[in-house]
Amino acid sequence: MITLLTGGSACGKSYYAEASAVSAAKRLKVPLYYVATMLPYGEEGEKRIRRHREQRKSKGFLTVERYRDIGDAEFDRPGVVLLECVGNLAANEMFEYGFDGKDVVSHTVNGIAALSKKCCELIIVTNEVGSDIQEYSGSTMDYILCLGEINRALSELSDNVLELVCGIPLVLKGKKPLEEE
């Protein structure tokens, strides 16, 4: 089972994803993994990482830091995997490791497809980008276009696709993971 969660910044994606992952791991009686993709840059980045760690501290997650090549992530045994976030992963592949746009899309999507085969259930968090109809310059626009392509491909790969709006999950495809109990 693959669930894709999308939405704007600070819309409740992380809280919903964590609750869905914890619920699935309990239901399936399997380990619970959190695959973190955010490279810790600057004070704001460190603050955000600390906030997310604190948020999931008592929930039983085993954290795996994987900034690129997501398909190569390893787990002790199959479980529920929460991948957060595709936006960071794509930025890492594009800006830190120098892939061009076409390569970022295929490398990221193929990596996530490979990751999905290593777990019982995969919950993917991504960011909604490009809907503000604003033109950006150069590499920013390239990134937005890449992430949009990745999100489209992941929505095809996923059993469930939800958009979080003000903390409310709206089903775009499939059903809400928390309704599966």
Side-chain angles (χ1 to χ4, degrees), residues 16-26 32-33 61 80-82 123:
Y16 189 83
E18 289 173 12
S20 298
V22 167
S23 174
K26 284 180 183 173
L32 180 60
Y33 301 99
F61 283 97
V80 173
V81 174
L82 170 51
I123 299 171

Side-chain angles (χ1 to χ4, degrees), residues 25 62 67 98 120 123 152 164 172 174:
L62 302 169
Y67 307 125
C120 301
I123 299 171
R152 279 196 293 277
L164 273 284
L172 304 177

Side-chain angles (χ1 to χ4, degrees), residues 14-15 21 39 45 61 76 89-90 94 96 107 120 136 150 178:
S14 295
Y15 287 107
L39 282 166
F61 283 97
D76 291 336
L89 180 62
M94 185 175 225
E96 291 296 314
H107 187 73
C120 301
Y136 294 92
I150 291 166
L178 291 176

Side-chain angles (χ1 to χ4, degrees), residues 120-134:
C120 301
E121 191 161 329
L122 176 61
I123 299 171
I124 306 166
V125 175
T126 191
N127 294 310
E128 178 60 39
V129 295
S131 60
D132 61 1
I133 63 168
Q134 184 175 343

Side-chain angles (χ1 to χ4, degrees), residues 18-177:
E18 289 173 12
S20 298
V22 167
S23 174
K26 284 180 183 173
R27 178 174 32 86
L28 298 171
K29 296 177 176 46
V30 295
L32 180 60
Y33 301 99
Y34 182 95
V35 179
T37 63
M38 184 176 180
L39 282 166
Y41 281 124
E43 188 177 321
E44 185 60 34
E46 292 286 345
K47 182 179 173 185
R48 192 168 182 198
I49 290 169
R50 279 193 306 275
R51 187 182 83 238
H52 278 247
R53 283 183 182 151
E54 186 64 30
Q55 182 177 303
R56 65 179 188 271
K57 188 168 138 180
S58 63
K59 297 178 183 173
F61 283 97
L62 302 169
T63 300
V64 176
E65 293 184 9
R66 192 77 197 179
Y67 307 125
R68 64 176 302 228
D69 298 324
I70 201 70
D72 294 337
E74 295 292 329
F75 309 102
D76 291 336
R77 64 186 189 119
V80 173
V81 174
L82 170 51
L83 170 61
E84 186 160 5
C85 150
V86 176
N88 291 328
L89 180 62
N92 296 343
E93 298 284 12
M94 185 175 225
F95 300 116
E96 291 296 314
Y97 302 101
F99 280 132
D100 70 17
K102 185 177 175 184
D103 290 338
V104 169
V105 173
S106 63
H107 187 73
T108 304
V109 172
N110 291 338
I112 292 171
L115 178 69
S116 73
K117 292 174 177 42
K118 298 178 181 182
C119 53
C120 301
E121 191 161 329
L122 176 61
I123 299 171
I124 306 166
V125 175
T126 191
N127 294 310
E128 178 60 39
V129 295
S131 60
D132 61 1
I133 63 168
Q134 184 175 343
E135 280 292 318
Y136 294 92
S137 62
S139 61
T140 301
M141 196 66 210
D142 292 342
Y143 168 77
I144 289 170
L145 293 172
C146 281
L147 187 54
E149 289 284 325
I150 291 166
N151 287 346
R152 279 196 293 277
L154 291 178
S155 71
E156 290 177 19
L157 183 67
S158 298
D159 301 291
N160 306 309
V161 179
L162 287 81
E163 178 180 11
L164 273 284
V165 178
C166 301
I168 301 168
L170 305 175
V171 177
L172 304 177
K173 176 182 176 183
K175 59 185 174 181
K176 296 177 188 175

